[in-house]
């Protein structure tokens, strides 16, 4: 379901007892103090901090983020507890989030000033998405879910240990206390889950009871007689979708592929406390497409905000956050904006109108006029400007990720086959020798991913994973990039990266990277003059660069463009690199658990990805196409969530859109259509 645009909260700061929400006629927190309420009602009511002590991971879900005080109080209590869980995951729903300036003002006198500052400095663009905000080097994570509670809770994939029910009063905001909300809580509750709320309303207690929670009254605070506490006690065990059940028993993961996808998965899994080993046939990481000097990351905009647009936006938001951290740690790049040209329009008015209808905020996307684009070094046409877009050096990024604690590298080590012995995976070389064993395997070797999973067998030697009848092989596309030296006469280096029919970005050296060509099923490894000529034409189109090469300078060629490329190569002002991109048929990556091959007599196959049976402990992250840098952080986080049973960073419909079983489910649906 397409989420509604986010309408930020209007906050009244005139009340000396605390900020108010005029739209609901209510205070954001009790008059006696936000941290006092959090400690008595929510932490104390859920048995915290005692219940998280000694745990690997503890997950809290809150309805109503408000000013963030419950999160800050929980974070502060976790931080102060020497017996705290290794990781704290805090999921919070908010339909009307504060603008960052209002949040900063509201938290100016916070009881946890250092944590409050970290929170508002990390505040995301207010888009209708799931925003993953990591703190404490990822040991504390806020999953901020923006949108309507009933809708968003239906889409969450998580296993929750404690619920904080903290919306505005039921008579002022009934949607936060509806039967749909309580039903969703029961779906998300882990065994032994608890809930707490300041409300003692009959509707709240009835809703909890109907959803399988046994409630009891408890002593209130600040003049309030009673609050409500509850424990999850369903009449019958609840079943989660077959493919969305992780296991916290997995402790070791082998990752096949040492590029962006593999490194992103490794660092995300290591943050979940798993030990990872990355295998690659090349001796060094990032030896294939991830070895390009730089690459772009940004979202896309579609007026209907469909699955592709929302999925790419989620990926771009995750990339901007991840790469900001990487650049702060010395990885080369910039994340202060990117231009996406729209040459089919002569002015920006239609773009601005579509953007206004979408409700997306200016710190996510702007519509730029032609004169703004020209001032930035582009051509005379409108463009989308992505403030959080940019470029980064993928090789440096991969090596930084692989340097994470808990990640080991094994280069010059080709994995030829996978075999499951009934308890663990064995990684085998071409001669059948065991290279390693692991509790789970992530296949992240780009175009070879589906062929490797086709060689995954059980102990009896029979293939386990769905074959190409159910999941088509990834397409291979050759791409060549060109690098034009900074001192080349006629070169116009753009201020921000520019993408359109081709792209251009200015490297830290002042050289300009441009490209890239697209040739399907082309195995040629050499940089070609014809491809350089193509890239130079695109560079001229997006930046206005104009090169010259008097004829004959050194060699005769078939056409002027190729002559120009040959001349610049001879001068040492142009060189290139070739790599291959792997792409799925629907232009979205394959991220998730590998689907099981259906048994011949297995009955009706499921027509939804989330219900398709899976090969135990086998996962894939591949098919990123030309958007590897945009997709890698989100894909790694999703794989880590799937394996470790952590809250997913995407709503369930977008998980389905990336699920490698989606093609199998579509085939089943197509087979059932009449005619």
């Amino acid at each position: 379901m397409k989420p509604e645009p986010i309408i930020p909260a209007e906050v009244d700061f005139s009340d000396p007892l605390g900020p108010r929400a005029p739209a609901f006629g209510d205070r954001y927190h009790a008059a006696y103090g936000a941290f006092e309420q959090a400690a008595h009602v929510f932490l104390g009511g859920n048995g915290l901090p005692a219940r998280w002590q000694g745990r690997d991971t503890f997950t809290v879900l809150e309805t109503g983020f408000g000013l963030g005080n419950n999160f800050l109080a929980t974070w502060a209590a976790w931080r102060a507890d020497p017996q705290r869980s290794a990781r704290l995951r805090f999921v919070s729903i908010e339909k009307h989030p504060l603008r960052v300036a209002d949040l900063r003002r509201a938290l100016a006198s916070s009881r946890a000033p250092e944590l409050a500052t970290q929170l508002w400095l990390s505040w995301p663009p207010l888009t209708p998405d799931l925003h993953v905000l990591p703190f404490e080097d990822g040991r504390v994570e806020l999953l901020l879910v923006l949108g309507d509670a009933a809708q968003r809770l239906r889409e969450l994939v998580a296993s929750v240990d404690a619920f904080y029910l903290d919306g505005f009063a039921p008579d002022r905001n009934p949607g936060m206390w509806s039967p749909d909300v309580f039903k969703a809580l029961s779906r998300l509750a882990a065994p032994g889950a608890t809930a707490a709320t300041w409300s003692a309303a009959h509707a709240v207690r009835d809703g909890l009871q109907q959803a399988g929670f046994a409630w009891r009254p408890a002593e209130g605070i600040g003049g309030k007689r009673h609050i409500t506490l509850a424990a999850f006690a369903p009449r019958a065990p609840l079943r989660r979708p077959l493919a969305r059940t992780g296991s916290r028993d997995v402790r070791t993961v082998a990752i096949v592929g040492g590029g962006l996808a593999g490194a992103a998965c490794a660092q995300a899994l290591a943050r979940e406390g798993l030990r990872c080993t990355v295998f690659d046939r090349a001796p060094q990481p990032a030896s294939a497409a991830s070895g390009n000097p730089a690459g772009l990351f940004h979202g896309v905009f579609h007026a209907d905000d469909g699955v592709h647009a929302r999925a790419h936006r989620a990926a771009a938001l995750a990339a901007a956050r991840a790469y900001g951290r990487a650049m702060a740690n010395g990885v080369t790049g910039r994340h202060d904006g990117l231009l996406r040209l729209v040459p089919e329009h002569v002015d920006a008015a239609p773009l601005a109108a579509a953007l206004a209808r979408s409700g997306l905020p200016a710190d996510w996307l702007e519509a730029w006029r032609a004169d703004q684009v020209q001032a930035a070094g582009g051509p005379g046409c409108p463009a989308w400007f992505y403030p959080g877009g940019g470029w980064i050096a993928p090789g440096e990024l991969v090596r930084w990720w692989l340097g994470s604690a808990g990640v080991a590298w094994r280069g010059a080590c080709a994995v030829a086959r996978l075999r499951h012995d009934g308890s663990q995976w064995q990684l085998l070389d071409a001669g059948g020798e065991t290279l390693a064993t692991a509790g789970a395997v992530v296949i992240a070797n780009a175009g070879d991913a589906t062929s490797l999973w086709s060689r995954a067998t059980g102990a009896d030697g029979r293939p386990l994973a769905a074959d190409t009848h159910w999941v088509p092989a990834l397409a291979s596309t050759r791409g060549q990039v060109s690098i034009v030296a900074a001192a080349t006469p006629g070169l116009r280096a753009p201020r921000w990266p520019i993408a359109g029919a081709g792209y251009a970005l200015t490297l830290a050296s002042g050289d300009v990277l441009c490209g890239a060509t697209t040739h399907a099923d082309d195995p040629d490894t050499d940089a070609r003059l014809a491809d350089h000529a193509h890239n130079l034409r695109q560079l001229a189109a997006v930046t206005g660069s104009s090169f010259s090469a008097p004829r004959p300078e050194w060699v005769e060629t078939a056409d002027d463009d190729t002559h120009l490329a040959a001349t610049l190569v001879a001068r040492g002002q142009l060189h290139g690199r070739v790599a291959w991109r792997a792409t799925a048929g629907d232009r979205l990556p394959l991220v998730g658990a590998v689907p099981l091959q259906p048994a011949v007599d297995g009955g009706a196959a499921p027509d939804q990805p989330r219900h398709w049976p899976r090969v135990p402990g086998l996962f894939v992250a591949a098919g990123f196409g030309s958007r590897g840098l945009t997709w890698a952080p989100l894909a790694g986080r999703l794989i880590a969530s799937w394996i470790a049973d952590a809250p997913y960073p995407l709503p369930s419909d977008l998980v389905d859109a990336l699920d490698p079983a989606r093609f199998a489910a579509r085939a089943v649906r197509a087979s059932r259509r009449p005619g």
Side-chain angles (χ1 to χ4, degrees):
M1 182 182 296
K2 176 183 172 181
E4 294 295 321
I6 298 302
I7 300 174
E10 299 298 334
V11 185
D12 178 2
F13 287 97
S14 64
D15 188 339
L17 297 178
R20 296 181 66 88
F24 297 95
D26 206 350
R27 289 194 184 96
Y28 274 100
H29 57 74
Y32 55 81
F35 269 51
E36 289 78 6
Q37 176 175 280
H40 180 81
V41 177
F42 299 113
L43 284 146
N46 280 288
L48 301 174
R51 284 183 59 224
W52 66 40
Q53 291 176 350
R55 295 272 298 267
D56 182 62
T57 299
F58 194 87
T59 300
V60 175
L61 187 147
E62 173 188 47
T63 56
F65 185 77
L67 308 182
N69 284 302
N70 291 335
F71 167 63
L72 293 172
T74 304
W75 180 7
W78 177 90
R79 205 184 209 197
D81 184 3
Q83 297 177 279
R84 60 183 175 263
S85 58
R87 276 159 293 281
L88 173 66
R89 301 291 182 244
F90 196 101
V91 184
S92 190
I93 319 288
E94 180 55 62
K95 186 175 184 179
H96 299 295
L98 271 65
R99 299 176 180 88
V100 67
D102 286 337
L103 182 67
R104 182 178 184 181
R105 182 178 177 184
L107 297 177
S109 300
S110 173
R111 291 269 297 276
E114 178 195 348
L115 307 188
T117 298
Q118 291 187 52
L119 176 60
W120 67 256
L121 284 175
S122 300
W123 203 237
L126 302 185
T127 64
D129 298 296
L130 279 60
H131 299 268
V132 181
L133 312 184
F135 303 97
E136 306 282 357
D137 197 29
R139 294 187 298 276
V140 172
E141 185 176 270
L142 170 61
L143 180 60
L144 184 63
V145 184
L146 300 187
D148 177 75
Q151 177 184 336
R152 291 316 230 168
L153 284 167
R154 284 197 302 270
E155 300 168 346
L156 281 179
V157 183
S159 183
V160 177
D161 299 300
F163 294 95
Y164 295 2
L165 307 183
D166 193 27
F168 293 119
D171 60 340
R172 302 179 189 216
N173 187 18
M176 286 289 281
W177 310 90
S178 69
D180 286 344
V181 167
F182 290 115
K183 182 180 179 180
L185 300 185
S186 70
R187 182 183 62 81
L188 295 166
T194 60
T197 176
W198 53 265
S199 177
H202 291 298
V204 173
R205 292 174 170 180
D206 290 347
L208 284 166
Q209 185 168 324
Q210 290 169 10
F213 289 84
W215 66 267
R216 62 182 176 86
E219 184 179 351
I221 184 176
K224 187 171 181 57
R225 185 178 177 187
H226 288 137
I227 61 174
T228 302
L229 310 182
F232 189 52
R235 296 185 182 90
L238 298 179
R239 297 178 62 188
R240 291 173 63 183
L242 182 65
R244 303 291 185 259
T245 51
S247 171
R248 295 182 182 177
D249 296 332
V250 173
R251 305 314 306 162
T252 59
V253 182
I255 298 165
V256 183
L260 279 168
C265 290
Q267 62 87 30
L269 286 160
R271 280 190 167 191
E272 293 295 333
L274 281 68
R275 299 191 306 278
C276 302
T277 304
V278 179
F279 296 82
D280 198 282
R281 62 190 175 194
Q284 299 299 324
S287 295
S290 301
N292 282 347
L296 307 179
F297 56 92
H298 62 92
V300 300
F301 174 78
H302 296 152
D304 62 357
D305 207 28
V307 166
H308 275 70
R310 289 191 291 121
H312 281 93
R313 183 169 66 241
L317 287 163
R321 190 167 298 278
Y323 298 156
R325 293 194 301 274
M327 292 174 203
N329 281 273
V331 177
T332 304
R334 286 180 59 179
H335 62 120
D336 58 348
L338 176 144
L339 283 163
R340 182 83 191 179
L341 303 177
V342 190
E344 61 269 27
H345 289 279
V346 295
D347 66 66
L351 278 66
L355 183 57
R357 288 191 297 271
S358 76
L360 293 171
D363 54 352
W364 162 249
L365 183 62
E366 299 175 9
W368 275 25
R369 303 183 310 274
D371 61 311
Q372 292 175 287
V373 175
Q374 286 180 307
C381 71
W384 295 115
F385 180 72
Y386 290 89
W391 68 270
I392 195 167
E396 294 181 32
L397 175 68
V398 166
R399 288 186 285 274
W400 181 64
W401 275 339
L402 292 178
S404 303
V407 177
W409 165 256
R410 288 188 63 179
C413 193
V415 177
R417 289 194 301 115
L418 302 169
R419 182 171 62 207
H420 198 265
D421 66 5
S423 61
Q424 285 202 313
W425 282 99
Q426 299 171 335
L427 285 74
L428 310 175
D429 65 14
E433 295 296 318
T434 300
L435 298 169
T437 60
V441 175
V442 180
I443 300 172
N445 57 345
D448 293 331
T450 51
S451 64
L452 181 58
W453 93 34
S454 71
R455 298 192 296 276
T457 66
D460 59 3
R462 283 188 284 187
L464 297 174
D467 58 28
T468 53
H469 173 76
W470 297 102
V471 183
L474 298 171
S476 175
T477 304
R478 179 189 182 277
Q480 179 176 317
V481 296
S482 302
I483 300 97
V484 184
T488 303
L491 175 65
R492 292 186 64 194
R495 179 179 174 186
W496 285 287
I498 300 178
Y503 66 86
L505 64 92
T506 305
L507 300 170
S509 63
D511 296 348
V512 172
L513 175 71
C514 61
T517 58
T518 300
H519 294 101
D521 301 318
D522 184 342
D524 187 5
T525 61
D526 295 329
R528 299 191 291 231
L529 285 178
D531 288 0
H532 278 316
H534 170 84
N535 289 340
L536 291 174
R537 285 193 295 270
Q538 291 188 321
L539 176 61
V542 299
T543 67
S545 296
S546 179
F547 308 101
S548 62
R551 179 181 290 276
E553 183 164 325
W554 74 283
V555 65
E556 291 291 334
T557 55
D559 58 74
D560 289 346
D561 290 330
T562 309
H563 170 74
L564 170 63
T567 302
L568 294 181
V569 169
R571 292 178 186 170
Q573 295 173 329
L574 178 65
H575 64 280
R577 189 176 187 277
V578 174
W580 285 263
R581 304 184 290 268
T583 310
D586 59 2
R587 316 294 293 182
L588 288 173
L590 304 181
V591 185
V594 171
L596 193 71
Q597 178 73 14
V600 174
D601 57 350
D607 62 0
Q608 295 296 325
R610 65 190 71 178
H611 298 303
W612 196 280
R614 304 302 163 123
V615 180
L618 188 60
F619 299 82
V620 63
F624 294 178
S626 61
R627 294 181 176 269
L629 280 167
T630 300
W631 276 111
L634 181 63
R637 178 65 176 78
L638 179 55
I639 288 288
S641 299
W642 211 311
I643 292 176
D645 199 26
Y648 284 27
L650 286 172
S652 57
D653 65 331
L654 295 188
V655 176
D656 285 346
L658 305 184
D659 193 324
R662 65 189 186 264
F663 298 100
R666 289 172 194 165
V668 171
R669 292 196 296 272
S671 71
R672 295 174 182 171
R673 295 189 192 111

